[in-house]
Amino acid sequence: MHGLVVVDRDQKVLRDSIIWCDSRAVELGEKAFDAIGNEKSLSHLLNSPGNFTASKLAWVKQNEPKIYNQIDKIMLPGDFIAMKLTGEITTSIPALSEGIFWDFKKDEISKDVMDYYKLDQKLIPEIRPLFAEHGYLKEEIAKLLGLKEGIPVAYKAGDQPNNALSLNVLQPGEVAATAGTSGVIYGVSDQLTYDPQSRVNTFAHVTYSPTQKHTGVLLCINGTGSMYRWAKHNFAPHLSYAELNHFAAQAPIGSKGLKVLPFGNGAERMLNNKYTGAQLLGIDLNIHNQSDIFRAVQEGIAFSFRYGLDIMRENGMQPKVIRAGKANLFLSDLFTQTFVDVTGVPVELYENNGSVGAALGAGIGAGIFKDSADAFSQHQLLKYVAPKNALAYEPIYQNWKAQLIKAL
C-alpha cells in the first residue's frame, strides 16, 4: 500500500522501490505533522504523514535530488504493475489516501502536504475511479502471459482494502483481519474519525466516493507472520508450519510465563512510531522448551492484536465479529482461538484471500458481476470461532501489556 515507485518519461524505474514498512522517512513525516498542525493533519485524515508514500517521496527529494528531478510520475507498487501491463499510469482516491496525498475534508490532493514538502503535483498520475478501466493489456504483454490482448485492468487496490473486499467487508461496522507478514485489523466506517495519536490510520475504502465516504480504519502490526517465520527458521527449520502449529498446541495457556513482544520489523504505528525490537522475556532454562516458545510467539502476536484493537475501540470501532480468510496464521487453530479469546471477538473464517479479492474487484470493475451482491453470491462461511478461554487469558494479557509498556 504505502510503497513508492518512481519512473521517468520513458516509464523506466529510477531507483529501487521504497517498501511499505521502510522507516527512513519517519522523522520527515513527524516534522510535517508538527508543521501542518497535529489537529489539522488528523482531522483531514492525513494520518500524521509518518513513513507513508508522501514522506518517502520527500526523502528522495531531500537525499537524491538528481533522481527526484528525473521523475515523471510516482506510483504505488500496484500502480506500477498496472503500468507494465497496460502502458498507462493511473491512480485512484484510495491509492492517494494510502500515500497520504488526499485531503478528505476538501476531497482533493492535499495542498498542505504538497506545499510543505514542496512536491510537484505533476508527479501525481491521472486519477480514475477505483472500479474503472485503468488501461488495457498490451499486445506484447498478452503474448508473454498467454492472455488475450485488450483485457481491461478494471480494479487495483492496496492489500488490506482488497482483503476486506475479499471478505465482503464493504459496509460501515464490518471488520476484517489478516495475519500474514504483517497483522492488520481493518474496519469500515462512514465517519471521518481519527485517533488523536495517529496510532491507527484511516484511508479511503474501495467503496469510497464523494457522496459515500466509506473509510477503512486500519491497525497495522509490522511483525506477525514475520515473527513466526523467524522463530521457525531459528528454532525448528525442519518442521513445516502445520507441524509447528501442532507442536505449539502442546504447551499450556500462557506458555509457562514465557512472553514474546513481536515488534522486530520496523517502527510500529500503534506504538507511536517507536521500535522496541522483538523480545523473548522470562525464559526459564529449567522449564521452557520449543513448544513453549512457539506458543508464546503465537500468543504474543494475538496480544499485539488485542493491544491495537483496544486503540480502535477507544476511537469508536466496536466489532461484534471479525472476518478473516483461512490463510497464514489463521491456518493455526491455536492462533485463531487465542486471537478470539484475547480480543473477546468471534471470528468468521472464509476460504478467501487477497487474490480472490483482486479477482472479484476486477469482475465488478469490468462489469462481469452486476454488483457486489452478485460478486459474493457464492460467499460461504467455513467456520465460526467463539471465545472460550477469555477469563484465563485476561490476566496473562495484562501482564504482557505491562512488559510492553516497560519496553516503550
Side-chain angles (χ1 to χ4, degrees):
M1 285 174 66
H2 317 297
L4 172 68
V5 181
V6 294
V7 297
D8 64 15
R9 291 183 179 180
D10 297 320
Q11 298 188 354
K12 292 182 179 178
V13 175
L14 294 168
R15 70 170 329 279
D16 290 346
S17 171
I18 302 177
I19 67 169
W20 66 277
C21 60
D22 190 298
S23 301
R24 75 184 71 190
V26 167
E27 185 178 353
L28 280 175
E30 289 175 345
K31 288 179 179 177
F33 186 54
D34 291 336
I36 293 169
N38 297 15
E39 176 62 28
K40 186 173 187 181
S41 290
L42 294 172
S43 64
H44 289 243
L45 299 190
L46 299 178
N47 286 315
S48 162
N51 62 335
F52 296 116
T53 313
S55 299
K56 289 166 180 165
L57 179 60
W59 185 93
V60 173
K61 184 175 190 292
Q62 182 180 99
N63 294 277
E64 300 172 344
K66 289 183 180 179
I67 290 176
Y68 180 83
N69 290 333
Q70 296 176 65
I71 298 174
D72 180 59
K73 289 291 182 283
I74 64 168
M75 288 171 278
L76 298 184
D79 298 325
F80 169 73
I81 294 172
M83 181 201 79
K84 298 297 286 186
L85 293 173
T86 68
E88 295 191 43
I89 303 177
T90 69
T91 190
S92 64
I93 290 175
L96 291 171
S97 79
E98 292 162 17
I100 314 302
F101 290 106
W102 193 253
D103 186 321
F104 281 80
K105 282 201 171 178
K106 295 183 178 179
D107 263 324
E108 62 183 24
I109 294 171
S110 172
K111 289 184 173 62
D112 292 305
V113 170
M114 300 301 281
D115 290 348
Y116 174 78
Y117 284 138
K118 296 181 172 59
L119 301 174
D120 191 338
Q121 194 158 318
K122 292 179 181 178
L123 302 181
I124 304 292
E126 176 189 349
I127 303 171
R128 294 185 187 175
L130 181 63
F131 295 98
E133 291 171 350
H134 290 265
Y136 300 87
L137 195 62
K138 295 188 295 184
E139 180 183 3
E140 62 268 32
I141 302 299
K143 288 179 179 178
L144 182 67
L145 298 176
L147 296 172
K148 183 180 178 181
E149 179 187 358
I151 293 173
V153 172
Y155 167 82
K156 50 183 180 173
D159 57 345
Q160 296 311 320
N162 185 58
N163 180 66
L165 170 70
S166 79
L167 295 164
N168 198 19
V169 171
L170 300 174
Q171 299 302 320
E174 295 177 335
V175 179
T178 184
T181 301
S182 64
V184 170
I185 297 178
Y186 183 96
V188 181
S189 175
D190 56 3
Q191 305 294 317
L192 298 184
T193 58
Y194 60 89
D195 174 50
Q197 298 180 50
S198 196
R199 295 165 297 175
V200 297
N201 303 116
T202 304
F203 308 101
H205 192 35
V206 296
T207 51
Y208 181 93
S209 72
T211 57
Q212 182 177 268
K213 295 192 175 184
H214 285 179
T215 59
V217 181
L218 187 151
L219 159 80
C220 182
I221 308 156
N222 292 349
T224 54
S226 56
M227 178 75 211
Y228 202 40
R229 181 190 63 225
W230 180 89
K232 176 189 185 303
H233 287 177
N234 285 281
F235 293 114
H238 58 289
L239 294 180
S240 69
Y241 283 107
E243 290 171 325
L244 212 64
N245 294 336
H246 176 75
F247 203 33
Q250 308 310 306
I253 288 176
S255 307
K256 301 174 190 169
L258 186 61
K259 302 173 188 66
V260 170
L261 303 182
F263 307 116
N265 197 29
E268 295 283 355
R269 297 290 299 172
M270 75 172 188
L271 303 180
N272 300 102
N273 282 326
K274 293 180 180 177
Y275 180 64
T276 65
Q279 300 182 31
L280 279 73
L281 303 168
I283 296 175
D284 187 321
L285 304 180
N286 298 301
I287 65 171
H288 289 132
N289 55 39
Q290 284 183 317
S291 294
D292 300 313
I293 291 172
F294 296 128
R295 180 163 192 140
V297 170
Q298 291 201 23
E299 289 180 336
I301 294 167
F303 292 156
S304 66
F305 271 103
R306 161 68 185 276
Y307 185 87
L309 182 58
D310 284 350
I311 295 172
M312 298 180 81
R313 286 167 168 150
E314 289 173 21
N315 290 280
M317 187 68 64
Q318 301 290 339
K320 296 180 180 178
V321 67
I322 294 174
R323 298 176 192 165
K326 192 170 177 59
N328 302 310
L329 276 166
F330 282 105
L331 288 168
S332 166
D333 291 337
L334 171 64
F335 173 77
T336 304
Q337 188 63 59
T338 304
F339 177 97
V340 170
D341 290 337
V342 172
T343 62
V345 182
V347 163
E348 294 178 349
L349 290 175
Y350 294 86
E351 196 69 73
N352 276 18
N353 56 38
S355 62
V356 173
L360 292 171
I364 295 169
I368 295 169
F369 301 115
K370 291 181 292 185
D371 50 32
S372 60
D374 184 27
F376 287 97
S377 60
Q378 303 299 316
H379 197 55
Q380 293 185 348
L381 176 67
L382 285 180
K383 188 176 182 181
Y384 179 89
V385 183
K388 64 179 183 181
N389 298 306
L391 290 177
Y393 263 117
E394 186 60 25
I396 298 170
Y397 167 72
Q398 292 299 336
N399 192 291
W400 176 92
K401 181 180 174 181
Q403 293 293 328
L404 173 60
I405 291 171
K406 284 182 183 179
L408 295 173

